[in-house]
mmCIF file of all heavy atoms in Angstrom:
data_model
loop_
_atom_site.group_PDB
_atom_site.id
_atom_site.type_symbol
_atom_site.label_atom_id
_atom_site.label_comp_id
_atom_site.label_asym_id
_atom_site.label_seq_id
_atom_site.Cartn_x
_atom_site.Cartn_y
_atom_site.Cartn_z
ATOM 1 N N GLU A 5 0.838 -1.199 0.000
ATOM 2 C CA GLU A 5 0.000 0.000 0.000
ATOM 3 C C GLU A 5 0.876 1.253 0.000
ATOM 4 O O GLU A 5 0.582 2.245 -0.682
ATOM 5 C CB GLU A 5 -0.922 -0.012 1.223
ATOM 6 C CG GLU A 5 -1.914 1.140 1.273
ATOM 7 C CD GLU A 5 -2.820 1.180 0.062
ATOM 8 O OE1 GLU A 5 -3.242 0.112 -0.417
ATOM 9 O OE2 GLU A 5 -3.093 2.302 -0.439
ATOM 10 N N GLY A 6 1.946 1.225 0.769
ATOM 11 C CA GLY A 6 2.871 2.349 0.782
ATOM 12 C C GLY A 6 3.560 2.557 -0.557
ATOM 13 O O GLY A 6 3.829 3.692 -0.961
ATOM 14 N N ILE A 7 3.841 1.462 -1.241
ATOM 15 C CA ILE A 7 4.443 1.557 -2.575
ATOM 16 C C ILE A 7 3.489 2.256 -3.540
ATOM 17 O O ILE A 7 3.880 3.159 -4.295
ATOM 18 C CB ILE A 7 4.811 0.147 -3.092
ATOM 19 C CG1 ILE A 7 5.981 -0.427 -2.285
ATOM 20 C CG2 ILE A 7 5.153 0.184 -4.582
ATOM 21 C CD1 ILE A 7 6.259 -1.892 -2.570
ATOM 22 N N ARG A 8 2.221 1.848 -3.510
ATOM 23 C CA ARG A 8 1.235 2.473 -4.400
ATOM 24 C C ARG A 8 1.019 3.941 -4.045
ATOM 25 O O ARG A 8 0.850 4.783 -4.921
ATOM 26 C CB ARG A 8 -0.085 1.701 -4.334
ATOM 27 C CG ARG A 8 -0.038 0.348 -5.020
ATOM 28 C CD ARG A 8 -1.439 -0.178 -5.272
ATOM 29 N NE ARG A 8 -2.128 -0.425 -4.013
ATOM 30 C CZ ARG A 8 -2.221 -1.613 -3.432
ATOM 31 N NH1 ARG A 8 -1.660 -2.664 -4.002
ATOM 32 N NH2 ARG A 8 -2.860 -1.762 -2.293
ATOM 33 N N ALA A 9 1.020 4.246 -2.736
ATOM 34 C CA ALA A 9 0.835 5.630 -2.305
ATOM 35 C C ALA A 9 1.969 6.530 -2.799
ATOM 36 O O ALA A 9 1.777 7.735 -2.978
ATOM 37 C CB ALA A 9 0.741 5.699 -0.779
ATOM 38 N N ARG A 10 3.133 5.944 -3.041
ATOM 39 C CA ARG A 10 4.274 6.704 -3.537
ATOM 40 C C ARG A 10 4.304 6.783 -5.063
ATOM 41 O O ARG A 10 5.268 7.267 -5.650
ATOM 42 C CB ARG A 10 5.577 6.096 -3.007
ATOM 43 C CG ARG A 10 5.804 6.358 -1.525
ATOM 44 C CD ARG A 10 6.863 5.443 -0.924
ATOM 45 N NE ARG A 10 7.210 5.827 0.433
ATOM 46 C CZ ARG A 10 6.492 5.546 1.513
ATOM 47 N NH1 ARG A 10 5.351 4.852 1.371
ATOM 48 N NH2 ARG A 10 6.882 5.936 2.708
ATOM 49 N N GLY A 11 3.262 6.253 -5.697
ATOM 50 C CA GLY A 11 3.129 6.406 -7.139
ATOM 51 C C GLY A 11 3.687 5.284 -7.981
ATOM 52 O O GLY A 11 3.832 5.427 -9.190
ATOM 53 N N PHE A 12 3.981 4.137 -7.347
ATOM 54 C CA PHE A 12 4.505 2.999 -8.103
ATOM 55 C C PHE A 12 3.396 1.973 -8.311
ATOM 56 O O PHE A 12 2.737 1.550 -7.364
ATOM 57 C CB PHE A 12 5.677 2.344 -7.361
ATOM 58 C CG PHE A 12 6.939 3.133 -7.387
ATOM 59 C CD1 PHE A 12 7.178 4.126 -6.447
ATOM 60 C CD2 PHE A 12 7.897 2.911 -8.366
ATOM 61 C CE1 PHE A 12 8.339 4.867 -6.467
ATOM 62 C CE2 PHE A 12 9.066 3.646 -8.403
ATOM 63 C CZ PHE A 12 9.291 4.631 -7.453
ATOM 64 N N ASP A 13 3.212 1.569 -9.560
ATOM 65 C CA ASP A 13 2.214 0.552 -9.875
ATOM 66 C C ASP A 13 2.797 -0.846 -9.691
ATOM 67 O O ASP A 13 4.005 -1.044 -9.715
ATOM 68 C CB ASP A 13 1.730 0.710 -11.322
ATOM 69 C CG ASP A 13 0.772 1.876 -11.484
ATOM 70 O OD1 ASP A 13 -0.133 2.017 -10.651
ATOM 71 O OD2 ASP A 13 0.925 2.643 -12.451
ATOM 72 N N MET A 14 1.901 -1.812 -9.562
ATOM 73 C CA MET A 14 2.301 -3.214 -9.619
ATOM 74 C C MET A 14 2.581 -3.590 -11.076
ATOM 75 O O MET A 14 2.015 -2.968 -11.973
ATOM 76 C CB MET A 14 1.198 -4.107 -9.055
ATOM 77 C CG MET A 14 0.916 -3.878 -7.576
ATOM 78 S SD MET A 14 2.274 -4.470 -6.557
ATOM 79 C CE MET A 14 2.290 -3.217 -5.263
ATOM 80 N N PRO A 15 3.433 -4.572 -11.341
ATOM 81 C CA PRO A 15 4.166 -5.406 -10.392
ATOM 82 C C PRO A 15 5.372 -4.672 -9.817
ATOM 83 O O PRO A 15 5.933 -3.768 -10.444
ATOM 84 C CB PRO A 15 4.595 -6.601 -11.235
ATOM 85 C CG PRO A 15 4.742 -6.038 -12.620
ATOM 86 C CD PRO A 15 3.673 -4.992 -12.746
ATOM 87 N N VAL A 16 5.774 -5.125 -8.635
ATOM 88 C CA VAL A 16 6.922 -4.547 -7.933
ATOM 89 C C VAL A 16 7.779 -5.684 -7.381
ATOM 90 O O VAL A 16 7.247 -6.661 -6.847
ATOM 91 C CB VAL A 16 6.466 -3.632 -6.775
ATOM 92 C CG1 VAL A 16 7.640 -3.260 -5.881
ATOM 93 C CG2 VAL A 16 5.805 -2.373 -7.313
ATOM 94 N N LEU A 17 9.073 -5.554 -7.522
ATOM 95 C CA LEU A 17 9.993 -6.465 -6.853
ATOM 96 C C LEU A 17 10.389 -5.816 -5.538
ATOM 97 O O LEU A 17 10.984 -4.728 -5.528
ATOM 98 C CB LEU A 17 11.232 -6.731 -7.706
ATOM 99 C CG LEU A 17 12.182 -7.771 -7.103
ATOM 100 C CD1 LEU A 17 11.601 -9.170 -7.248
ATOM 101 C CD2 LEU A 17 13.551 -7.707 -7.766
ATOM 102 N N LEU A 18 10.035 -6.455 -4.442
ATOM 103 C CA LEU A 18 10.338 -5.932 -3.110
ATOM 104 C C LEU A 18 11.585 -6.607 -2.572
ATOM 105 O O LEU A 18 11.640 -7.832 -2.463
ATOM 106 C CB LEU A 18 9.150 -6.183 -2.177
ATOM 107 C CG LEU A 18 9.355 -5.808 -0.700
ATOM 108 C CD1 LEU A 18 9.554 -4.304 -0.540
ATOM 109 C CD2 LEU A 18 8.190 -6.292 0.145
ATOM 110 N N ARG A 19 12.578 -5.793 -2.226
ATOM 111 C CA ARG A 19 13.802 -6.312 -1.617
ATOM 112 C C ARG A 19 13.840 -5.918 -0.140
ATOM 113 O O ARG A 19 13.465 -4.795 0.214
ATOM 114 C CB ARG A 19 15.055 -5.765 -2.309
ATOM 115 C CG ARG A 19 15.259 -6.228 -3.738
ATOM 116 C CD ARG A 19 16.716 -6.027 -4.143
ATOM 117 N NE ARG A 19 16.910 -6.219 -5.565
ATOM 118 C CZ ARG A 19 17.236 -5.255 -6.425
ATOM 119 N NH1 ARG A 19 17.426 -4.024 -5.998
ATOM 120 N NH2 ARG A 19 17.407 -5.508 -7.700
ATOM 121 N N ILE A 20 14.306 -6.833 0.693
ATOM 122 C CA ILE A 20 14.419 -6.578 2.130
ATOM 123 C C ILE A 20 15.893 -6.667 2.499
ATOM 124 O O ILE A 20 16.487 -7.758 2.547
ATOM 125 C CB ILE A 20 13.584 -7.584 2.955
ATOM 126 C CG1 ILE A 20 12.116 -7.547 2.522
ATOM 127 C CG2 ILE A 20 13.695 -7.258 4.435
ATOM 128 C CD1 ILE A 20 11.730 -8.602 1.513
ATOM 129 N N ASP A 21 16.514 -5.514 2.741
ATOM 130 C CA ASP A 21 17.952 -5.461 3.005
ATOM 131 C C ASP A 21 18.360 -6.323 4.192
ATOM 132 O O ASP A 21 19.410 -6.982 4.175
ATOM 133 C CB ASP A 21 18.373 -4.014 3.270
ATOM 134 C CG ASP A 21 18.491 -3.195 1.988
ATOM 135 O OD1 ASP A 21 18.274 -3.769 0.903
ATOM 136 O OD2 ASP A 21 18.787 -1.988 2.076
ATOM 137 N N ASN A 22 17.533 -6.324 5.238
ATOM 138 C CA ASN A 22 17.906 -7.046 6.464
ATOM 139 C C ASN A 22 18.166 -8.524 6.203
ATOM 140 O O ASN A 22 19.007 -9.145 6.861
ATOM 141 C CB ASN A 22 16.792 -6.937 7.502
ATOM 142 C CG ASN A 22 16.317 -5.515 7.721
ATOM 143 O OD1 ASN A 22 15.699 -4.934 6.840
ATOM 144 N ND2 ASN A 22 16.596 -4.970 8.895
ATOM 145 N N ILE A 23 17.427 -9.099 5.261
ATOM 146 C CA ILE A 23 17.564 -10.541 5.020
ATOM 147 C C ILE A 23 18.926 -10.866 4.413
ATOM 148 O O ILE A 23 19.537 -11.888 4.746
ATOM 149 C CB ILE A 23 16.407 -11.050 4.146
ATOM 150 C CG1 ILE A 23 15.078 -10.919 4.904
ATOM 151 C CG2 ILE A 23 16.627 -12.500 3.727
ATOM 152 C CD1 ILE A 23 13.865 -11.399 4.136
ATOM 153 N N LEU A 24 19.422 -10.007 3.526
ATOM 154 C CA LEU A 24 20.771 -10.209 3.000
ATOM 155 C C LEU A 24 21.787 -10.232 4.134
ATOM 156 O O LEU A 24 22.667 -11.100 4.197
ATOM 157 C CB LEU A 24 21.132 -9.090 2.008
ATOM 158 C CG LEU A 24 20.611 -9.193 0.588
ATOM 159 C CD1 LEU A 24 21.028 -7.965 -0.204
ATOM 160 C CD2 LEU A 24 21.109 -10.447 -0.093
ATOM 161 N N ASP A 25 21.671 -9.264 5.026
ATOM 162 C CA ASP A 25 22.579 -9.171 6.173
ATOM 163 C C ASP A 25 22.482 -10.426 7.034
ATOM 164 O O ASP A 25 23.498 -11.024 7.421
ATOM 165 C CB ASP A 25 22.215 -7.925 6.987
ATOM 166 C CG ASP A 25 23.275 -7.570 8.014
ATOM 167 O OD1 ASP A 25 24.333 -8.236 8.055
ATOM 168 O OD2 ASP A 25 23.050 -6.614 8.788
ATOM 169 N N ALA A 26 21.241 -10.854 7.306
ATOM 170 C CA ALA A 26 21.036 -12.011 8.180
ATOM 171 C C ALA A 26 21.560 -13.296 7.555
ATOM 172 O O ALA A 26 22.117 -14.162 8.253
ATOM 173 C CB ALA A 26 19.554 -12.158 8.504
ATOM 174 N N GLN A 27 21.400 -13.463 6.241
ATOM 175 C CA GLN A 27 21.874 -14.684 5.585
ATOM 176 C C GLN A 27 23.401 -14.757 5.546
ATOM 177 O O GLN A 27 23.980 -15.833 5.722
ATOM 178 C CB GLN A 27 21.312 -14.772 4.162
ATOM 179 C CG GLN A 27 19.852 -15.189 4.082
ATOM 180 C CD GLN A 27 19.646 -16.615 4.554
ATOM 181 O OE1 GLN A 27 19.364 -16.855 5.732
ATOM 182 N NE2 GLN A 27 19.771 -17.574 3.650
ATOM 183 N N ILE A 28 24.058 -13.621 5.326
ATOM 184 C CA ILE A 28 25.526 -13.603 5.361
ATOM 185 C C ILE A 28 26.015 -13.954 6.763
ATOM 186 O O ILE A 28 26.940 -14.759 6.942
ATOM 187 C CB ILE A 28 26.056 -12.223 4.923
ATOM 188 C CG1 ILE A 28 25.808 -12.015 3.428
ATOM 189 C CG2 ILE A 28 27.543 -12.084 5.241
ATOM 190 C CD1 ILE A 28 26.132 -10.626 2.940
ATOM 191 N N GLU A 29 25.368 -13.380 7.757
ATOM 192 C CA GLU A 29 25.733 -13.674 9.146
ATOM 193 C C GLU A 29 25.501 -15.145 9.474
ATOM 194 O O GLU A 29 26.346 -15.796 10.099
ATOM 195 C CB GLU A 29 24.923 -12.788 10.090
ATOM 196 C CG GLU A 29 25.190 -13.043 11.560
ATOM 197 C CD GLU A 29 24.302 -12.203 12.457
ATOM 198 O OE1 GLU A 29 24.363 -10.959 12.343
ATOM 199 O OE2 GLU A 29 23.544 -12.787 13.259
ATOM 200 N N SER A 30 24.370 -15.675 9.046
ATOM 201 C CA SER A 30 24.032 -17.061 9.352
ATOM 202 C C SER A 30 25.048 -18.025 8.770
ATOM 203 O O SER A 30 25.518 -18.953 9.451
ATOM 204 C CB SER A 30 22.627 -17.380 8.817
ATOM 205 O OG SER A 30 22.281 -18.716 9.072
ATOM 206 N N LEU A 31 25.424 -17.832 7.496
ATOM 207 C CA LEU A 31 26.396 -18.721 6.864
ATOM 208 C C LEU A 31 27.743 -18.658 7.574
ATOM 209 O O LEU A 31 28.334 -19.695 7.917
ATOM 210 C CB LEU A 31 26.558 -18.348 5.385
ATOM 211 C CG LEU A 31 27.656 -19.102 4.626
ATOM 212 C CD1 LEU A 31 27.373 -20.595 4.592
ATOM 213 C CD2 LEU A 31 27.797 -18.556 3.208
ATOM 214 N N ASN A 32 28.236 -17.459 7.806
ATOM 215 C CA ASN A 32 29.571 -17.309 8.389
ATOM 216 C C ASN A 32 29.621 -17.759 9.846
ATOM 217 O O ASN A 32 30.585 -18.412 10.267
ATOM 218 C CB ASN A 32 30.035 -15.854 8.257
ATOM 219 C CG ASN A 32 30.502 -15.509 6.856
ATOM 220 O OD1 ASN A 32 31.651 -15.744 6.501
ATOM 221 N ND2 ASN A 32 29.608 -14.963 6.050
ATOM 222 N N GLU A 33 28.579 -17.444 10.611
ATOM 223 C CA GLU A 33 28.581 -17.839 12.021
ATOM 224 C C GLU A 33 28.379 -19.347 12.180
ATOM 225 O O GLU A 33 28.960 -19.963 13.079
ATOM 226 C CB GLU A 33 27.487 -17.077 12.773
ATOM 227 C CG GLU A 33 27.778 -15.590 12.960
ATOM 228 C CD GLU A 33 29.003 -15.335 13.832
ATOM 229 O OE1 GLU A 33 29.336 -16.201 14.674
ATOM 230 O OE2 GLU A 33 29.652 -14.286 13.661
ATOM 231 N N THR A 34 27.560 -19.939 11.321
ATOM 232 C CA THR A 34 27.371 -21.395 11.395
ATOM 233 C C THR A 34 28.657 -22.114 11.046
ATOM 234 O O THR A 34 29.008 -23.130 11.670
ATOM 235 C CB THR A 34 26.229 -21.838 10.467
ATOM 236 O OG1 THR A 34 25.045 -21.091 10.765
ATOM 237 C CG2 THR A 34 25.924 -23.313 10.633
ATOM 238 N N CYS A 35 29.382 -21.609 10.042
ATOM 239 C CA CYS A 35 30.682 -22.201 9.703
ATOM 240 C C CYS A 35 31.668 -22.032 10.853
ATOM 241 O O CYS A 35 32.419 -22.964 11.195
ATOM 242 C CB CYS A 35 31.240 -21.555 8.434
ATOM 243 S SG CYS A 35 30.472 -22.145 6.921
#
């Protein structure tokens, strides 16, 4: 809804920065 309110139509690719950070941490810490 916030994306549409900012003037962007669907379709939209939504990226979540935190997940990249968490996956890098998970791989390295598990190793």
Side-chain angles (χ1 to χ4, degrees):
E5 184 59 39
I7 291 170
R8 288 196 296 262
R10 287 164 172 79
F12 287 86
D13 284 315
M14 296 290 143
V16 169
L17 185 74
L18 175 65
R19 293 199 191 112
I20 303 96
D21 282 358
N22 310 69
I23 294 180
L24 279 178
D25 193 4
Q27 284 294 92
I28 290 173
E29 178 184 301
S30 179
L31 174 62
N32 283 275
E33 289 296 334
T34 306
C35 283

